[in-house]
Amino acid sequence: MAPTVKSELSTKDQGTLKTISKLFDDKKYKKGLKLVETFLKTHPENVDGLCFKSLIVYNMSKKDEAHDIAKKVLRSNLSNSMAWHTLGFLHKSDKNYSEALKCFRNASKHAKDNTQILKDLLSVQLYLRDSAGLRESYSALLHAQPAQKGNWVGLILAYHLQGNYKQALVVLDKFNEVLDDKEKSGVSYSELILYKCMVIEESGDLDQVMQILKNDEKLILDKMWSKKKQAEILMKQKQPEKAEKIYRDLIKVNPDDYNIHRKLIECKLGVTLLGNDMESLSVEQVAIVDKLYQDLKVSYPKSLLIQRLPLNYLKNAEQFRSELFNYVKVFLRKGIPSLFNSLKLLYKNPEKIAIIESLLNTEMESLKKSLTFSDASTTTTEKEQPSTYLWSLYFMSQHYDQIGQHQKSLDFINQAISHTPTCVDLYIQKAKVYKHQGDHKQAYQEYNYARTLDLADRYLNTKAAKYALRNNDPLTADQIVSLIKDDRTPLVDQISEFQCMWYEQELGDAYQRCGNYGRSLKNYYLVDRHFNEFLEDQFDFHHHIQKKLTLRSYIEFLRWEDNVFQNKPYTKAMKQLIRVYSKLINQQHQQNFHLLHSNQLKNAEELENTLKQRRELQEKLRNESKATSEGQPIILDEDPNGEKLLQDSNLLTTAMKYLKTLLKFNNDSIDTHVLACEFYLIKKKYLAVLKSLLKIKQLVEAEGQQLSQSNVYHRYLIKLFHQYDSEYSTLGAPVKEVVDQEKTNLLSGKSLVDYNNEFLKQNPNTIAHQFAGTQMSLLLNPEQKEQLSTKFLEISNAEGTYKDALEVYQFLSNIYGNEIAEKYRVAANQKYPLANIFQI
Amino acid sequence: MVQQNIELGDLTDKNIGQLKLLNSTTLAVTYDDKFYQKLLGNGFITKLAYFNDILVGAVSCRIDPPTQELPHSSLYIMTFGVLAPYRNLGIGKKLLEFVESLCLEKNYQKISLHVQVGSEAIDFYKKYNFIIESTVNNYYRHIEPPHCYIMAKSIKKQ
């Protein structure tokens, strides 16, 4: 930061200020502080001196003192830009951006031609998406420095973000005029043209985009993008034949791009395909698509994607079988372990599953017998490779795991292991089977064995850590990831430095399962912190982009940032965070809340010792850095176990904050609305519950599920109207009017008890449904608690996964206590012998 | 039929677990961890064979210094094995060829080894011109039969 040199100071004093400024820039805060304090003795009211002192002490972690100084200076110098700028700087560093914006704006007002202030101002404006303010700032900056390319670019961006395409294009054209001829080629210029296309396309003038893409073809270097865009526009302009030609050209370049194939099919059929699903095509449509792909298969015999695509749409069993055979042969011969994953999509269709099973069984048997496929002539001496048989066993194990037959799955993987024990993938598959059956202990052991076979494989190392966490064993996980940590900075919390969110998620989940809610929350909050760091990343990108002119990517990046909280790692962690809060809130109401005995941290004592030692080392490092270095001090987490988070006096409000983010950014998720129903029921906001219930209804129906078969919808329907009825007299007329009407609609006039009994009758064989229905019976008739316990215990006979059974078990141990829960556990243990949670 | 893909690789401290597993599957004798740690040091040579990227065979040798009878260093094969389903595919041959070329390169003039009496490996070595030099009775302690042959092959530069 440059001092605003005052004329009344002597040359020597001005020199001192410059030295201070230099020391500050070089992060030599201790020396800087000494010098500025000496300086202030003779000039106690000097604005620059005080501002530097404020900035220096801020960087020495004395934030409050810094703010006090800055505010004091400002109070007596309200029209001093340096004073405003300084306070703005402090706010920006505190991530208090709206306050920073105000300060920078004032600073700029009192120093109109100070470009540094303008730059600080506009970076905050951009962050806050204040596009009108951003435009003003860039106008001013461009006026002051018209030769700077970045200022032109900034102004164009500002207009674009405002949605003022016309002005954006006007400035863009003017910018084009000021460029030299030698600047009108190369990557940067190509990017500028494509950016122009983007703006024009958003303004709706598709014809003009087409024209530019054709006219400037030689200048445009991103040929693929240009072609894709042209095809896309042709599709919009209802010229599928022309679009098809382009897509065929693109397939020539890369025959394995699924998106291009999808577009090609859409061209051919004149429809938009939903998701990856081609099952819904009609017989006629399949015939058209199949003709296309029979030809493509001849043209591109090596493209695995083109070989596989017919499997997605084919309806005829014979044809499907023969295509599948050819496809499977290639993969088994080459030994590509991903064969199963590439077919996984087909497992939605029971007929296809049956064909896969019978075909692979036949081939596996044939390979076992004679090491040939079943279509080999009996006289042939040409054998397949032994690994082909191995991969057929591997596939069979994956197949049976997928359809829930774990014993068969284990048999096949064990056969594979005795055939080729050195194949690492086999142990990974074995671990998966155990994991899917809830035997996390054995799953970890298998995975860790795979890891020891190839210690150099980072994937195996990290995944083994994940399996350890699933086994509630943070200590082991920590030891494994420690192997791949950076050795130079030992033991300082690198996982969060790496923004390694899957680890934080799994660690949070493990602590949650084991009832350590403080540490669980801490880890979910780390994920939250990383996403906020992603938002901060915008500041770094901004400078870079103006030099490179890659504005298309930049705009896309800004739009991604706008929706950064939509990303799955975020929503997943926040859902878990809210669930912990829900448990904490309920714990206050429920006396007999307790954990299942199997959910205990493994190696707990040793874990605590390790964490304690690490903490001590961190403290030591911090003290050393305090004593010696000048740079940023090491900041220690004051609440490593999250105890302060648990003492939050308003858990509900805290949770609501994150729930609202989910409702905004993850509104199409049933889980989000389940949480919303839970929390709004606590808050007695019946309209909000109703809104979420209707959203659940919509999402269930969109998935093609019958409403009468949705246990989630059923549970919250009953919960809502039951609680609503019991509070009816306290509610206002406007609420009643809306809810009453929907209630009649949704229940078709039936009583809650009748409606619930019907649900139980309609879904007699599945754990999830019987559990939801019986739970609601208890809610509606709490006096029948005794009789209903038998009902609950009978659920163990119904169909479902161990996870479904676990929910019942958890519920019983909370509501009915140990005796009943234990009966259920014994039954569940017989049914799911591998699941650790039902073992003693 | 797809072209077979046999490749040779080296032993590292990271993949030693795989060698251990391979040997425990293919050999009658079990070796302790000390043995495997020794393999990484000087004076020992190990080569791993991969079939379509899966480890299916390995050979470990010790370099013996010159003696009075043998004026040059020689190689002693300590372990040599290929997983059963992958035999007769040229994997053992490739490993043996590696060992012989190494001898030529470093001027080791003899390869020798112990093989259990009755083992099917005897025919394999014979095919590659190893000869039975002598018989050692009660060489093995925990396996039946406990006797073995010493087989050897002289390597001479052409």
Side-chain angles (χ1 to χ4, degrees):
Chain A
M1 201 168 272
T4 51
V5 180
K6 286 272 171 65
S7 52
E8 63 260 29
L9 287 180
S10 69
T11 327
K12 188 181 161 238
D13 286 336
Q14 289 177 21
T16 310
L17 277 178
K18 273 187 191 151
T19 315
I20 295 167
S21 166
K22 178 92 182 28
L23 287 169
F24 173 70
D25 288 342
D26 294 346
K27 298 188 175 169
K28 292 182 175 156
Y29 303 125
K30 270 193 180 168
K31 277 189 187 162
L33 186 63
K34 229 181 208 171
L35 193 58
V36 82
E37 278 177 342
T38 324
F39 174 81
L40 285 171
K41 272 181 197 150
T42 47
H43 305 281
E45 298 295 322
N46 181 282
V47 178
D48 292 337
L50 288 165
C51 284
F52 274 117
K53 187 176 176 189
S54 162
L55 291 170
I56 289 168
V57 298
Y58 184 90
N59 280 290
M60 296 173 84
S61 297
K62 292 176 206 158
K63 297 189 177 182
D64 293 339
E65 191 187 340
H67 275 279
D68 288 344
I69 300 170
K71 275 183 206 150
K72 215 176 123 204
V73 183
L74 189 61
R75 237 173 269 140
S76 42
N77 299 277
L78 275 170
S79 59
N80 184 299
S81 68
M82 176 81 175
W84 281 109
H85 197 181
T86 302
L87 187 62
F89 202 79
L90 301 184
H91 281 311
K92 189 183 167 191
S93 304
D94 287 340
K95 297 176 184 175
N96 189 350
Y97 296 112
S98 49
E99 282 304 311
L101 181 71
K102 281 183 208 158
C103 294
F104 288 150
R105 209 187 273 144
N106 279 321
S108 185
K109 212 191 287 171
H110 298 295
K112 286 213 160 54
D113 45 2
N114 185 326
T115 53
Q116 185 53 51
I117 295 176
L118 274 175
K119 280 175 189 166
D120 285 336
L121 171 62
L122 63 86
S123 74
V124 176
Q125 284 168 327
L126 185 67
Y127 182 87
L128 293 171
R129 300 290 187 272
D130 172 11
S131 51
L134 186 68
R135 184 181 52 72
E136 278 171 33
S137 300
Y138 266 120
S139 292
L141 200 57
L142 183 59
H143 200 71
Q145 302 173 324
Q148 294 266 329
K149 269 203 264 175
N151 297 341
W152 286 91
V153 169
L155 188 58
I156 298 164
L157 274 174
Y159 276 122
H160 186 181
L161 289 175
Q162 263 191 307
N164 190 342
Y165 305 113
K166 210 174 129 202
Q167 248 346 88
L169 290 168
V170 169
V171 184
L172 192 57
D173 286 339
K174 273 196 193 143
F175 177 50
N176 203 21
E177 283 166 24
V178 302
L179 288 175
D180 306 336
D181 278 348
K182 62 171 187 245
E183 287 173 311
K184 290 190 181 178
S185 65
V187 179
S188 286
Y189 195 63
S190 162
E191 281 299 320
L192 198 64
I193 297 172
L194 293 177
Y195 174 66
K196 187 175 174 180
C197 289
M198 184 187 202
V199 179
I200 298 174
E201 191 193 351
E202 283 175 20
S203 79
D205 189 351
L206 300 182
D207 287 332
Q208 208 193 332
V209 177
M210 278 303 263
Q211 223 164 21
I212 296 175
L213 290 176
K214 277 183 189 155
N215 293 346
D216 290 346
E217 201 192 330
K218 283 193 184 133
L219 291 167
I220 295 171
L221 302 178
D222 191 346
K223 307 282 181 205
M224 293 295 278
W225 190 86
S226 170
K227 291 212 162 178
K228 280 181 197 166
K229 187 52 74 185
Q230 287 181 45
E232 209 178 282
I233 291 174
L234 286 166
M235 284 288 279
K236 279 186 192 157
Q237 293 178 333
K238 307 269 176 254
Q239 302 188 56
E241 293 86 8
K242 285 187 184 170
E244 185 188 327
K245 209 185 145 287
I246 298 180
Y247 284 130
R248 280 179 182 267
D249 286 345
L250 287 168
I251 287 177
K252 229 178 262 171
V253 180
N254 176 12
D256 287 296
D257 183 340
Y258 179 76
N259 285 323
I260 300 292
H261 284 282
R262 209 173 122 171
K263 300 268 186 196
L264 181 65
I265 294 169
E266 288 181 349
C267 276
K268 272 281 177 198
L269 298 178
V271 295
T272 309
L273 296 171
L274 290 173
N276 289 329
D277 188 15
M278 292 198 202
E279 296 280 350
S280 51
L281 298 182
S282 71
V283 179
E284 292 77 21
Q285 286 173 321
V286 167
I288 297 171
V289 178
D290 195 41
K291 192 171 170 303
L292 174 71
Y293 276 89
Q294 293 310 330
D295 291 345
L296 284 173
K297 256 167 50 180
V298 178
S299 312
Y300 304 99
K302 281 189 176 166
S303 162
L304 290 176
L305 178 63
I306 292 177
Q307 312 295 317
R308 194 193 73 213
L309 254 160
L311 300 176
N312 292 1
Y313 61 74
L314 282 174
K315 288 184 190 300
N316 178 302
E318 270 313 298
Q319 209 189 343
F320 175 79
R321 193 183 171 103
S322 94
E323 294 274 356
L324 179 68
F325 186 28
N326 291 329
Y327 180 73
V328 160
K329 255 200 252 181
V330 177
F331 272 75
L332 292 180
R333 279 178 173 156
K334 282 196 176 166
I336 306 174
S338 59
L339 170 62
F340 177 78
N341 284 337
S342 78
L343 297 178
K344 214 169 166 183
L345 210 63
L346 306 176
Y347 278 72
K348 283 182 204 155
N349 181 333
E351 288 155 35
K352 289 188 177 175
I353 297 178
I355 297 175
I356 293 173
E357 183 169 322
S358 105
L359 184 130
L360 262 300
N361 243 324
T362 310
E363 297 313 321
M364 187 271 302
E365 288 294 345
S366 171
L367 287 164
K368 186 180 188 176
K369 209 174 85 204
S370 58
L371 208 55
T372 53
F373 284 110
S374 62
D375 61 344
S377 73
T378 44
T379 54
T380 186
T381 50
E382 188 91 323
K383 297 277 185 207
E384 299 295 333
Q385 300 173 8
S387 51
T388 307
Y389 171 57
L390 169 73
W391 293 115
S392 76
L393 291 170
Y394 178 71
F395 184 93
M396 292 313 287
S397 172
Q398 289 175 302
H399 168 82
Y400 283 115
D401 182 31
Q402 175 75 23
I403 61 172
Q405 297 192 26
H406 71 273
Q407 198 47 54
K408 274 193 175 169
S409 178
L410 282 176
D411 286 347
F412 278 109
I413 205 65
N414 285 332
Q415 280 182 50
I417 288 174
S418 44
H419 181 272
T420 310
T422 47
C423 179
V424 179
D425 300 74
L426 306 178
Y427 302 95
I428 297 177
Q429 167 58 17
K430 197 170 176 184
K432 272 187 194 163
V433 183
Y434 282 115
K435 181 182 79 174
H436 293 157
Q437 296 306 318
D439 190 347
H440 296 290
K441 201 171 144 200
Q442 191 62 28
Y444 164 71
Q445 268 161 16
E446 295 294 340
Y447 211 104
N448 194 48
Y449 187 64
R451 187 180 76 83
T452 59
L453 292 179
D454 191 358
L455 292 166
D457 190 325
R458 283 197 170 197
Y459 177 80
L460 292 176
N461 276 308
T462 48
K463 270 275 197 177
K466 184 169 171 173
Y467 274 75
L469 289 174
R470 291 280 168 95
N471 190 32
N472 301 334
D473 189 353
L475 179 73
T476 305
D478 191 274
Q479 286 163 349
I480 296 172
V481 291
S482 295
L483 295 172
I484 48 174
K485 278 181 183 175
D486 185 350
D487 289 338
R488 283 166 301 177
T489 49
L491 298 174
V492 179
D493 205 352
Q494 287 192 17
I495 286 291
S496 75
E497 205 121 298
F498 290 162
Q499 299 180 329
C500 183
M501 292 188 284
W502 70 263
Y503 189 86
E504 289 157 354
Q505 172 82 44
E506 292 290 341
L507 188 55
D509 290 352
Y511 278 128
Q512 183 181 173
R513 279 193 298 272
C514 301
N516 190 330
Y517 297 129
R519 281 196 197 149
S520 178
L521 287 177
K522 285 297 282 192
N523 279 286
Y524 300 138
Y525 273 119
L526 283 175
V527 177
D528 182 51
R529 193 177 91 193
H530 298 323
F531 272 88
N532 283 297
E533 285 161 0
F534 297 162
L535 281 178
E536 310 284 315
D537 287 345
Q538 294 181 62
F539 290 112
D540 300 333
F541 276 99
H542 187 61
H543 302 288
H544 174 72
I545 227 71
Q546 298 189 340
K547 285 179 202 142
K548 296 280 173 196
L549 297 184
T550 47
L551 297 169
R552 272 184 311 151
S553 330
Y554 187 56
I555 288 278
E556 276 160 21
F557 164 70
L558 290 179
R559 287 175 183 165
W560 178 82
E561 287 280 7
D562 285 340
N563 294 306
V564 72
F565 296 125
Q566 271 181 357
N567 285 285
K568 202 178 165 191
Y570 184 79
T571 58
K572 193 177 165 195
M574 291 309 109
K575 281 171 193 170
Q576 286 293 66
L577 178 109
I578 296 168
R579 284 181 194 122
V580 174
Y581 277 115
S582 167
K583 283 181 188 161
L584 291 171
I585 292 164
N586 286 325
Q587 200 172 12
Q588 293 166 349
H589 304 312
Q590 266 164 245
Q591 285 303 308
N592 58 347
F593 179 92
H594 56 86
L595 288 164
L596 301 180
H597 58 92
S598 310
N599 277 337
Q600 269 173 19
L601 276 181
K602 309 269 184 315
N603 305 314
E605 207 172 303
E606 221 179 309
L607 173 71
E608 295 312 319
N609 280 335
T610 307
L611 294 177
K612 207 177 130 206
Q613 281 168 15
R614 184 167 305 169
R615 178 86 187 167
E616 283 164 5
L617 189 82
Q618 284 173 351
E619 273 167 16
K620 202 175 136 227
L621 285 174
R622 182 188 60 170
N623 295 339
E624 279 169 13
S625 82
K626 253 188 188 168
T628 57
S629 97
E630 284 273 347
Q632 285 285 344
I634 295 173
I635 296 161
L636 268 189
D637 188 348
E638 295 301 327
D639 184 26
N641 297 328
E643 277 142 16
K644 282 186 192 144
L645 292 170
L646 300 181
Q647 285 154 14
D648 188 344
S649 59
N650 213 333
L651 297 164
L652 193 57
T653 315
T654 311
M656 283 310 290
K657 188 179 140 204
Y658 291 94
L659 181 59
K660 279 177 183 156
T661 309
L662 284 182
L663 284 169
K664 185 170 172 196
F665 289 103
N666 194 227
N667 195 35
D668 281 336
S669 148
I670 291 180
D671 289 343
T672 296
H673 292 282
V674 165
L675 292 169
C677 285
E678 288 285 356
F679 278 85
Y680 284 121
L681 279 171
I682 298 176
K683 290 179 73 98
K684 303 182 179 176
K685 302 240 169 155
Y686 298 110
L687 284 178
V689 184
L690 182 65
K691 198 173 157 196
S692 279
L693 181 71
L694 292 174
K695 186 73 191 178
I696 292 174
K697 178 171 177 276
Q698 183 204 330
L699 291 168
V700 166
E701 285 169 338
E703 279 177 7
Q705 206 191 343
Q706 290 287 324
L707 215 47
S708 59
Q709 287 172 5
S710 167
N711 53 320
V712 176
Y713 171 74
H714 181 75
R715 182 179 279 124
Y716 289 99
L717 179 85
I718 304 279
K719 272 194 177 184
L720 165 62
F721 294 125
H722 172 69
Q723 193 178 324
Y724 171 78
D725 287 348
S726 67
E727 305 246 333
Y728 196 76
S729 55
T730 65
L731 298 168
V735 174
K736 284 183 188 166
E737 198 181 318
V738 179
V739 181
D740 278 345
Q741 197 190 343
E742 282 296 343
K743 188 182 165 194
T744 323
N745 265 345
L746 296 174
L747 292 170
S748 326
K750 292 180 194 115
S751 78
L752 286 176
V753 173
D754 286 349
Y755 189 92
N756 188 43
N757 285 338
E758 231 166 76
F759 177 84
L760 280 164
K761 254 181 232 152
Q762 273 167 346
N763 304 283
N765 299 323
T766 41
I767 297 178
H769 296 100
Q770 286 299 303
F771 177 45
T774 315
Q775 228 186 341
M776 291 307 105
S777 302
L778 179 62
L779 181 75
L780 297 172
N781 303 297
E783 73 286 354
Q784 293 180 8
K785 191 174 171 188
E786 280 308 302
Q787 299 97 295
L788 282 169
S789 72
T790 335
K791 273 261 178 200
F792 277 115
L793 288 174
E794 277 166 12
I795 296 176
S796 60
N797 302 321
E799 293 300 315
T801 64
Y802 88 90
K803 282 184 187 165
D804 296 331
L806 173 58
E807 280 194 39
V808 186
Y809 179 35
Q810 197 118 34
F811 172 82
L812 290 179
S813 64
N814 280 338
I815 303 300
Y816 281 90
N818 279 340
E819 204 182 318
I820 302 279
E822 180 58 16
K823 278 185 192 164
Y824 188 87
R825 185 194 67 75
V826 172
N829 183 31
Q830 271 181 357
K831 200 164 168 202
Y832 309 96
L834 292 179
N836 298 148
I837 199 79
F838 302 126
Q839 293 158 358
I840 293 180
Chain B
M1 182 160 164
V2 185
Q3 187 68 41
Q4 293 188 355
N5 179 9
I6 304 170
E7 276 176 13
L8 298 185
D10 292 318
L11 185 70
T12 67
D13 60 334
K14 306 286 192 236
N15 62 16
I16 205 155
Q18 279 187 73
L19 177 68
K20 232 185 268 182
L21 178 57
L22 178 90
N23 284 347
S24 72
T25 316
T26 55
L27 308 176
V29 182
T30 340
Y31 297 90
D32 58 8
D33 283 352
K34 247 198 234 156
F35 172 82
Y36 287 100
Q37 281 310 315
K38 221 166 57 182
L39 291 182
L40 291 167
N42 286 334
F44 296 91
I45 288 153
T46 296
K47 212 70 189 171
L48 309 174
Y50 293 89
F51 182 86
N52 293 344
D53 293 329
I54 309 166
L55 177 77
V56 295
V59 60
S60 291
C61 313
R62 184 182 72 216
I63 305 164
D64 284 338
T67 58
Q68 273 186 336
E69 304 99 78
L70 280 170
H72 292 278
S73 299
S74 60
L75 268 194
Y76 170 70
I77 295 181
M78 297 184 294
T79 65
F80 191 169
V82 175
L83 291 178
Y86 299 85
R87 288 178 193 158
N88 300 317
L89 293 168
I91 295 160
K93 182 177 166 219
K94 203 153 185 177
L95 285 169
L96 205 53
E97 278 169 2
F98 165 79
V99 173
E100 290 190 12
S101 68
L102 185 81
C103 289
L104 287 172
E105 189 193 320
K106 305 272 183 180
N107 205 18
Y108 306 144
Q109 298 199 348
K110 188 180 178 187
I111 306 172
S112 62
L113 52 92
H114 287 90
V115 59
Q116 190 186 10
V117 169
S119 162
E120 53 183 309
I122 297 167
D123 286 339
F124 171 81
Y125 292 120
K126 277 185 176 166
K127 201 165 110 189
Y128 294 100
N129 302 319
F130 280 73
I131 49 164
I132 296 177
E133 279 194 336
S134 58
T135 309
V136 185
N137 283 329
N138 298 315
Y139 177 74
Y140 299 111
R141 242 177 274 166
H142 303 293
I143 55 176
E144 274 301 315
H147 319 303
C148 77
Y149 298 125
I150 293 178
M151 292 186 82
K153 179 178 185 176
S154 299
I155 307 288
K156 290 269 156 60
K157 274 195 182 158
Q158 302 290 313

